[in-house]
Amino acid sequence: MAKRTAKQGEARGVDARLEGVADAFEAQDFEAALASADALLRDVPDSPEALHYRAAALVEVGRLEDAGKAYGAALKVAPEDLEILFGAAEFLVCRTGEDREAVEEGLEWCGRGRKLAQKADDVELVYEFLLLEGMGLNQLGECEAALKSLDQALTHMPRSPDAQLERGIALFELCRFAPAQESFERVLKDAPDEPWAHHYLGLIAERRKDAREAKKRFTRAQALAPEELPPPVALEEAAFDRAVEDAMRALPSQVKQYMDNVTLAVEDLPSDEDLLGQQPPLSPCILGVFRGTPVGERSVMDAADHFPPSIVLYQKNLERFARTREELIEQIGITVMHEVGHLMGLDEDDLWERGLD
């Protein structure tokens, strides 16, 4: 009896300490939550809850490398804990920037978590995993697959603005502009202050050359989320052209020999023809495109190969991509190198490995 009472008291003590960690986390005092979780783990090193709080707190304080290791430790102790699985997947998909490998790993955790949530009949977590899966697939450019996940998410939560927004993004990236617009407008019925819905409606209006509607939507989006959606960095035409010329001059000498017959142009936005010229379509937000047949793949028997290849840069997309004038000029150089890479026969994976994605 004494042993049982001691164990019960110890369990109550752990529960009370976990509540303290939870209180600090909910109060957004993440340093205190981390310190309390660390202290608890010194006494109870295999506590799944404490390991989870530690990982989540590390994310919030910006220690992302440590957070990844902490989620790994938590999953080692509790590999089927749905909350930990979701936290780890969300970290990899949403908090690791544009790290493709991290997103791919996060999608693996999503798939595992979704199956476990279905088995447990946890409808809310099934929805959460499907939404996160759609977000990750969109990030990887696998938008058709994303649509399937997001449509499933909406069967569980039909009024979800988050799933509807992500669905609209997938449709936009697939150049299905009319249904994308419907999705974004549906978002705004339930969440009228969703900045990204306004932003994408601005992009769609801009493509159909409705300058007044585009300006209204962009202005609204920027007012709602000034940090995420700042105004574009505008370069006057002469300065933009100079930046392009500088990028051309900076090309390696062994590449310049192939540029003599290549046309270089600047356009505002990509045309539907450019976007739909391959399957899946190119993103409407692409910064540039290579038109033609790469060096080494041309044939005298192919009539199309008698036309000179061309590289096109899209000024509005580049200006919207950058945060500063310096970043814009740098990105022009990167985009020129990216498209020259296609001229040389490199595919997107090759360019990604070289940091030119």
Side-chain angles (χ1 to χ4, degrees):
M1 177 67 73
K3 287 184 179 179
R4 183 182 299 176
T5 303
K7 287 181 179 179
Q8 289 173 341
E10 183 179 331
R12 284 196 296 271
V14 170
D15 289 342
R17 292 173 73 182
L18 279 171
E19 285 181 16
V21 178
D23 290 343
F25 200 92
E26 289 175 14
Q28 298 188 1
D29 189 348
F30 301 117
E31 292 287 359
L34 179 58
S36 297
D38 281 338
L40 178 53
L41 286 167
R42 284 193 287 273
D43 297 329
V44 191
D46 290 337
S47 165
E49 297 89 345
L51 288 165
H52 188 190
Y53 273 120
R54 181 174 189 274
L58 284 166
V59 173
E60 296 299 339
V61 299
R63 292 169 55 185
L64 300 186
E65 185 176 348
D66 290 337
K69 294 175 183 177
Y71 271 118
L75 285 169
K76 188 174 181 180
V77 169
E80 295 191 355
D81 185 299
L82 285 171
E83 295 293 341
I84 296 175
L85 272 169
F86 182 77
E90 185 181 40
F91 163 68
L92 290 167
V93 170
C94 301
R95 301 295 190 111
T96 53
E98 298 180 359
D99 187 331
R100 288 182 63 89
E101 293 179 358
V103 174
E104 288 168 353
E105 184 181 354
L107 288 172
E108 290 179 14
W109 291 121
C110 276
R112 181 176 179 180
R114 174 167 46 81
K115 290 175 184 176
L116 289 169
Q118 288 170 336
K119 187 176 178 180
D121 200 25
D122 190 328
V123 174
E124 184 174 347
L125 265 177
V126 170
Y127 156 78
E128 293 288 356
F129 278 115
L130 284 166
L131 172 58
L132 191 58
E133 196 170 77
M135 294 170 66
L137 290 166
N138 267 346
Q139 285 189 54
L140 296 179
E142 298 176 20
C143 300
E144 286 284 7
L147 274 179
K148 293 179 182 178
S149 296
L150 295 164
D151 284 339
Q152 288 182 58
L154 285 164
T155 64
H156 295 289
M157 300 283 181
R159 296 289 297 272
S160 165
D162 293 332
Q164 195 66 249
L165 175 68
E166 205 65 34
R167 181 176 184 273
I169 293 171
L171 290 164
F172 177 84
E173 290 294 319
L174 291 166
C175 303
R176 300 175 193 171
F177 299 117
Q181 180 170 337
E182 291 175 8
S183 280
F184 294 129
E185 288 173 345
R186 197 169 296 136
V187 170
L188 293 177
K189 286 182 180 178
D190 291 321
D193 290 337
E194 169 47 60
W196 286 98
H198 286 288
H199 177 74
Y200 275 98
L201 286 170
L203 293 176
I204 293 170
E206 185 177 62
R207 287 196 61 79
R208 66 171 184 266
K209 295 181 169 55
D210 186 343
R212 183 176 179 180
E213 175 69 7
K215 182 179 180 181
K216 182 182 83 171
R217 293 294 185 181
F218 288 142
T219 300
R220 180 71 174 143
Q222 290 158 14
L224 289 166
E227 293 296 321
E228 294 179 89
L229 295 166
V233 178
L235 271 188
E236 58 277 10
E237 184 177 330
F240 197 97
D241 289 344
R242 277 197 304 274
V244 174
E245 291 167 4
D246 290 343
M248 292 293 291
R249 280 193 291 270
L251 291 173
S253 57
Q254 65 269 30
V255 173
K256 288 181 181 177
Q257 62 180 314
Y258 297 105
M259 298 297 296
D260 290 342
N261 295 320
V262 177
T263 302
L264 187 63
V266 177
E267 298 176 6
D268 277 347
L269 294 169
S271 67
D272 288 349
E273 181 182 6
D274 278 335
L275 297 178
L276 299 172
Q278 63 184 60
Q279 290 299 323
L282 296 174
S283 166
C285 297
I286 55 170
L287 306 182
V289 73
F290 168 69
R291 299 170 179 161
T293 306
V295 172
E297 298 180 22
R298 297 174 193 167
S299 169
V300 294
M301 305 300 292
D302 191 333
D305 289 351
H306 292 282
F307 293 97
S310 62
I311 290 172
V312 183
L313 303 185
Y314 298 114
Q315 184 165 349
K316 285 190 175 181
N317 285 351
L318 279 158
E319 289 176 339
R320 194 169 285 121
F321 179 89
R323 292 299 183 98
T324 65
R325 183 185 180 94
E326 293 73 23
E327 186 180 346
L328 173 56
I329 291 170
E330 179 185 13
Q331 189 58 48
I332 289 170
I334 292 171
T335 304
V336 168
M337 281 294 297
H338 180 104
E339 302 310 331
V340 168
H342 286 312
L343 167 70
M344 304 304 296
L346 301 178
D347 63 19
E348 293 297 333
D349 288 338
D350 295 326
L351 292 165
W352 176 69
E353 288 175 3
R354 290 165 169 78
L356 295 171
D357 54 326

